[in-house]
Amino acid sequence: MIISLLCQDLTFAEKLLIFLAILIAIIVALCVHEFSHAYAAYKCGDNTAKERGRLTINPIKHLDVYGFLCMMLFGFGWAKLVPINPMNFKNFKRDTFWVSVAGVISNIILVFVSIPFFLLVANFGDLSNLGFMFLYNLFLYSAFINAIFAVFNLLPIYPLDGFNAIAAYLRYENKFVLFMRKYGPMILIAFLILTEIIRSVTGVSVILWLANQIIWPFQQFWLLFF
């Protein structure tokens, strides 16, 4: 992500402002995502995340240094896993499902909230002004980064949220569950490599295309007011 930014024909000030916009958008998306998992678990009866200081949006509590650097440099990374004990849930299957998808729901909400601010700046802001340029990129990247987080985490591949949501309603010894727990990380790496090959050959990013499918209906809704 940052590598592609450095290759753009922009002034140093413009690159710096876009870098800060991306930085803030990623931090907010990651922290709200992880906080949502912790909050959902807490509401379902599990205090584990709260007791370990994860019921917060404080970046220090959620960011993994290496995962964050990978996210900034390559567009793929991770945060610290939220500690959860499903045995404390009021309803094991139902609550495991909702805790799993809580982060994705929060990212989709952030997409919905970011778009009107982006349209407001795009339509009425002076983009030659560095302040408006910063806000333009902040809300633009916020929409896309959160949409990408939502799409990526919905993949039914272990250890992503999409897998955990499905596994909540399957038996532990289910063949799909066992297969994914064993090979999920390798499948995930293979998927990322495959999407990069497709992007390099066709110029189309599969994840970005899917993210656009989330953004489009929200954009059409907000365009009714702009």
Side-chain angles (χ1 to χ4, degrees):
M1 190 174 292
I2 299 303
I3 294 175
S4 62
L5 172 62
L6 295 174
C7 298
Q8 295 182 27
D9 185 21
L10 300 169
T11 66
F12 175 78
E14 290 172 336
K15 289 181 179 180
L16 179 60
L17 287 176
I18 294 175
F19 170 81
L20 290 175
I22 295 172
L23 180 70
I24 293 171
I26 288 178
I27 289 175
V28 171
L30 280 173
C31 292
V32 170
H33 181 100
E34 300 305 329
F35 165 79
S36 298
H37 284 308
Y39 181 74
Y42 173 71
K43 295 299 288 185
C44 289
D46 179 31
N47 293 329
T48 306
K50 181 181 180 182
E51 292 171 353
R52 299 189 186 181
R54 300 297 299 277
L55 197 61
T56 176
I57 57 172
N58 182 354
I60 296 175
K61 297 293 186 178
H62 296 297
L63 297 183
D64 177 275
V65 175
Y66 297 110
F68 181 69
L69 287 176
C70 285
M71 178 68 72
M72 292 296 296
L73 291 172
F74 309 114
F76 169 75
W78 57 91
K80 296 176 183 176
L81 291 177
V82 174
I84 292 170
N85 185 357
M87 300 308 295
N88 293 327
F89 291 159
K90 300 167 187 175
N91 182 303
F92 182 85
K93 291 184 177 181
R94 181 200 65 196
D95 295 346
T96 299
F97 173 84
W98 285 112
V99 171
S100 298
V101 300
V104 170
I105 292 173
S106 71
N107 290 135
I108 292 175
I109 291 173
L110 286 175
V111 174
F112 183 77
V113 171
S114 297
I115 291 174
F117 289 103
F118 166 75
L119 292 174
L120 189 64
V121 175
N123 290 335
F124 304 106
D126 178 10
L127 298 184
S128 64
N129 178 283
L130 291 179
F132 280 114
M133 178 189 174
F134 169 75
L135 292 175
Y136 175 91
N137 282 282
L138 175 62
F139 295 122
L140 174 65
Y141 279 104
S142 177
F144 273 100
I145 288 170
N146 277 285
I148 289 170
F149 278 17
V151 166
F152 186 75
N153 279 285
L154 279 174
L155 294 174
I157 304 173
Y158 177 82
L160 301 179
D161 297 334
F163 167 81
N164 292 325
I166 294 174
Y169 286 95
L170 299 176
R171 293 181 180 274
Y172 186 85
E173 64 273 15
N174 177 276
K175 291 183 178 180
F176 170 76
V177 173
L178 294 176
F179 178 81
M180 274 297 169
R181 289 190 182 279
K182 185 175 182 179
Y183 299 108
M186 289 182 286
I187 293 173
L188 185 58
I189 293 172
F191 172 80
L192 291 171
I193 294 173
L194 178 61
T195 56
E196 183 59 26
I197 292 173
I198 293 173
R199 187 197 64 79
S200 62
V201 172
T202 66
V204 177
S205 169
V206 175
I207 295 294
L208 193 57
W209 183 85
L210 291 171
N212 270 309
Q213 308 315 302
I214 290 179
I215 291 174
W216 186 83
F218 294 151
Q219 183 181 25
Q220 298 308 304
F221 170 80
W222 284 115
L223 283 173
L224 296 174
F225 304 96
F226 289 91

